[in-house]
Amino acid sequence: MPKVKTKSSAKKRFALTGTGKIKRKHAFKSHILTKKSTKRKRELTKTGLVHTSDEGRVKDMLRI
């Protein structure tokens, strides 16, 4: 039986924390930044966690 490959797009977008949760980046930080407030842009820079309802799908893509 061959090994199951990880989705390369998911490998680039997600990372595991030490406790096993999945980190992600925020969207909407790449363009049209002039109309967004400084606070909003600063908050979008921080990493977030994948919601528990989506964890299963992401783990399946990462083959965890």
Side-chain angles (χ1 to χ4, degrees), residues 6-36:
T6 300
K7 298 282 184 194
S8 59
S9 59
K11 181 173 53 177
K12 296 169 192 172
R13 291 185 175 114
F14 302 106
L16 283 175
T17 62
T19 56
K21 294 178 182 176
I22 303 170
K23 288 194 300 186
R24 64 171 179 84
K25 292 185 178 180
H26 285 279
F28 309 114
K29 185 60 172 60
S30 59
H31 68 293
I32 314 176
L33 298 173
T34 53
K35 64 172 76 171
K36 293 174 184 142

Side-chain angles (χ1 to χ4, degrees), residues 40-53:
R40 182 174 167 194
K41 288 184 280 191
R42 189 171 58 245
E43 291 296 320
L44 289 173
T45 303
K46 299 174 184 176
T47 57
L49 294 174
V50 172
H51 194 267
T52 51
S53 61

